């Protein structure tokens, strides 16, 4: 189920913090293309397979790894 988790704007922004973003828009971290708006990069990610890219797969896998890491951190946290 988490493999099919939808990619949110928050996910895109979190990933984009890893790289310096050009001042002219938002960069897809998977294919490195730059888009003028956050909406346009999200649309690109959602329809990337139609354009010959695998960005949707990249972001879904990344989100699944984040969720797994978060659950592991919660399980390892000391309980009071």
């Amino acid at each position: 189920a988490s493999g099919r988790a939808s990619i949110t704007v928050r996910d895109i922004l979190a990933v984009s913090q890893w790289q310096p973003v050009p001042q002219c828009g938002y960069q897809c971290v998977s294919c490195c293309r730059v888009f003028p708006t956050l909406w346009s990069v999200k649309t690109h990610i959602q329809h990337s397979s139609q354009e010959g890219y695998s960005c949707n797969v990249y972001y879904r896998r990344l989100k699944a790894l984040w969720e797994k890491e978060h659950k592991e951190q919660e399980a390892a946290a000391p309980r009071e």
Side-chain angles (χ1 to χ4, degrees), residues 4-65:
R4 289 286 180 199
S6 64
I7 304 302
T8 65
V9 169
R10 183 176 295 173
D11 298 326
I12 297 167
L13 288 173
V15 173
S16 69
Q17 292 176 1
W18 297 345
Q19 296 180 354
V21 178
Q23 292 181 1
C24 59
Y26 296 89
Q27 184 175 29
C28 173
V29 178
S30 178
C31 69
C32 298
R33 291 175 60 195
V34 177
F35 297 86
T37 65
L38 194 52
W39 180 84
S40 61
V41 74
K42 184 175 182 189
T43 301
H44 157 73
I45 292 167
Q46 291 172 335
H47 303 287
S48 61
S49 63
Q50 296 169 356
E51 299 172 13
Y53 294 96
S54 59
C55 304
N56 194 359
V57 174
Y58 174 85
Y59 277 90
R60 278 196 331 232
R61 183 66 185 135
L62 185 61
K63 186 170 183 170
L65 289 171

